[in-house]
Amino acid sequence: MNNFIFQNPTKLIFGKGMIKEIASQIPAGKKIMITFGGGSVKKNGVYEQVIEALAGREYTEFWGIESNPSIETLRKAIAQGREFGADFLLAVGGGSVIDGTKLVSAGLKYDGDAWDLVKKGSYTDTVPLGTVLTLPATGSEMNSGAVISRHETKEKYAFYSNYPVFSVLDPTVTFTLPDHQIACGIADTFVHVMEQYMTKPEQSALMDRWAESILRTLIEIAPKIKENHEDYDLMADFMMCATMGLNGFIAMGVEQDWCTHMIGHELTALHGLTHGETLSIVFPGTLRALRQEKALKIMQYGERIWGLSSGLPETRVEKAIEKTEEFFRSLGLRTRLSEAGIGEDTIMEIEKRFNERGVAYGENHDVTGAVARRILEAAK
Ligand code: NZQ
Ligand code: ZN
């Protein structure tokens, strides 16, 4: 196990009816800017609960943070927050609203254009932020990351600031999620765990078991959720899988990969694909292209997650990859670039972008433009 320093300061407030707790979590006298997406919160009672909890408080509302939040929209939020004098932010929505609000929390403290901060990669002088999560997927409710897009140039980059001070997770608010968003949320959570697990074996027995427990739970609950996504306990487990999958708990002292995400962000930037579906397309390609480097860990995964304990190593690796792709398909997601109408032009563009940026992702820092091409070719 590598050395590490771990601290996750986000207070989790979990359960039915817990949105009212925001009243006691936001200090008195704060000027609050509440941020929302496109309006789903008005159809499931979340908006009413938030407004009721904030009765008598001074607040302004910013609407319209879209999926894959864009700098173009967030500049407007920063301008509104500045004019209002916001000194506390409350993000109410999915990962996009929370991510976008993380950039707003930094942008409010920065004199220049907030895109500078995205290019810089991190900025930790921020206005405090609380969240009410409505979509389990990104882990943004309990981490310091955000992913911000720029429509003008078709770019999408990760940005790091501070953790939310609190996040409310009420599983009942997920009952209104469309099936496709649930499928994408499960795939996103699965691949978050894989980015931290599918590297090298024997770094930490405990991290492996924690990661495997999230994978096993997702595989167990996914078909049941497909039958009934208004089951409180199933959605509660899904929410906790998503939060625990990307809040640092399974990453202590182990190498991480993240090449699938970085390639996936390019697919969203260039083609507007939903984040979770970029992963269900790219990840099987990552396993296929890097099957030699990752062979030992793929075999461990195949045995512990899919019960593949006999046969030649090469066959076991192949079966584990097939099982993974089948799992994504069972969610109703596409797993091939061709199904999304994506071809050679895009592969060339992603290779070029990675080369120009001089990046090398993956646990071995070797996923360059050329390797990204191999991954995408294996995902055709
Ligand atoms: O905008 P509204 O009307 O609220 O509708 C949203 C949106 O259309 C809807 N929705 C959310 N909760 C709902 C609901 N509809 C009905 N009932 C509910 N309870 O779902 C749609 C998708 O929402 P969005 O927030 O875009 O999805 P998600 O949470 O998957 O977030 C995706 C973004 O997060 C980034 C992705 O790249 C993408 O930009 N990620 C952030 C990460 C992080 N901060 O750590 C890590 C992830 O890997 C990911 O990259
Ligand atoms: Zn993700």
Side-chain angles (χ1 to χ4, degrees), residues 131-327:
T131 88
V132 175
L133 178 71
T134 63
L135 196 175
T138 62
S140 189
E141 66 280 5
M142 203 178 181
N143 68 39
S144 60
V147 192
I148 309 298
S149 297
R150 184 175 178 183
H151 292 150
E152 201 188 344
T153 49
K154 296 195 169 179
E155 290 171 283
K156 188 179 191 211
Y157 297 115
F159 163 76
Y160 296 88
S161 66
N162 285 316
Y163 291 74
V165 288
F166 67 80
S167 283
V168 181
L169 277 61
D170 175 349
T172 63
V173 314
T174 66
F175 293 174
T176 50
L177 277 166
D179 292 343
H180 183 66
Q181 290 300 336
I182 292 176
C184 286
I186 293 173
D188 194 17
T189 304
F190 195 92
V191 178
H192 290 159
V193 174
M194 285 300 222
E195 299 275 22
Q196 299 161 87
Y197 167 83
M198 185 45 71
T199 57
K200 305 165 183 172
E202 291 175 8
Q203 299 178 80
S204 162
L206 180 62
M207 292 302 134
D208 279 0
R209 293 292 188 189
W210 278 357
E212 288 157 0
S213 72
I214 299 176
L215 298 174
R216 294 275 301 253
T217 304
L218 289 169
I219 292 163
E220 187 180 316
I221 65 177
K224 298 180 186 165
I225 288 176
K226 212 170 176 185
E227 288 294 306
N228 177 12
H229 70 248
E230 295 192 15
D231 180 309
Y232 182 85
D233 290 322
L234 286 176
M235 295 311 270
D237 266 328
F238 174 24
M239 262 189 145
M240 285 308 292
C241 282
T243 301
M244 296 305 289
L246 196 50
N247 63 0
F249 271 75
I250 62 167
M252 288 182 232
V254 296
E255 302 295 334
Q256 301 181 43
D257 181 337
W258 295 104
C259 77
T260 298
H261 266 71
M262 294 306 153
I263 297 170
H265 291 338
E266 297 304 322
L267 294 178
T268 301
L270 293 165
H271 294 281
L273 252 63
T274 307
H275 174 64
E277 210 166 32
T278 68
L279 307 175
S280 66
I281 291 172
V282 178
F283 187 62
T286 300
L287 291 180
R288 290 203 163 91
L290 303 178
R291 65 198 301 154
Q292 266 158 5
E293 295 88 324
K294 292 181 184 287
L296 290 174
K297 201 64 181 268
I298 297 178
M299 280 203 285
Q300 175 181 319
Y301 158 75
E303 180 165 358
R304 294 187 186 176
I305 304 299
W306 300 109
L308 304 168
S309 53
S310 60
L312 293 170
E314 180 50 26
T315 319
R316 285 168 62 180
V317 167
E318 183 54 36
K319 281 204 173 136
I321 300 173
E322 278 169 18
K323 282 281 187 192
T324 310
E325 190 166 351
E326 272 168 30
F327 175 63

